[in-house]
Amino acid sequence: MTKEEVFAGLKEVIGIIRPSTELSHVNFDTQLVRDLGIDSLSMMLLSLAVEEKFQIRFPADADAPTTVGEVCDAVLAAK
């Protein structure tokens, strides 16, 4: 799986978690909190949805990602 494939899947998840998001403006540098308005509850929902979509488990002790690109990298690292 490539980073671009993960990115496309992640945008689908973001569209479900934050339906008001203009997905065409989302890129690897998009900040989860500042740009997408992801709060702690939304971050938990995003993490669970990403784990389910990509059939992975994020390590419990991992730092929370701050950008869309970091989420993509975390998914690829967990594969």
Side-chain angles (χ1 to χ4, degrees):
M1 180 168 282
T2 67
K3 189 170 183 175
E4 288 73 24
E5 291 170 329
V6 173
F7 178 65
L10 180 57
K11 282 176 57 173
E12 291 175 16
V13 172
I14 291 169
I16 294 167
I17 302 295
R18 303 290 297 171
S20 63
T21 301
E22 181 58 52
L23 295 176
S24 63
H25 296 141
V26 175
N27 60 54
F28 291 120
D29 296 323
T30 300
Q31 297 284 319
L32 298 173
V33 174
R34 185 188 67 209
D35 299 331
L36 299 180
I38 303 274
D39 60 14
S40 58
L41 178 58
S42 296
M43 184 66 81
M44 182 181 293
L45 293 172
L46 179 68
S47 295
L48 293 172
V50 168
E51 285 180 338
E52 184 175 319
K53 178 159 189 69
F54 294 104
Q55 298 297 299
I56 59 164
R57 290 285 172 236
F58 292 121
D61 60 346
D63 291 333
T66 59
T67 66
V68 170
E70 288 176 4
V71 176
C72 292
D73 291 340
V75 168
L76 291 170
K79 279 279 189 192

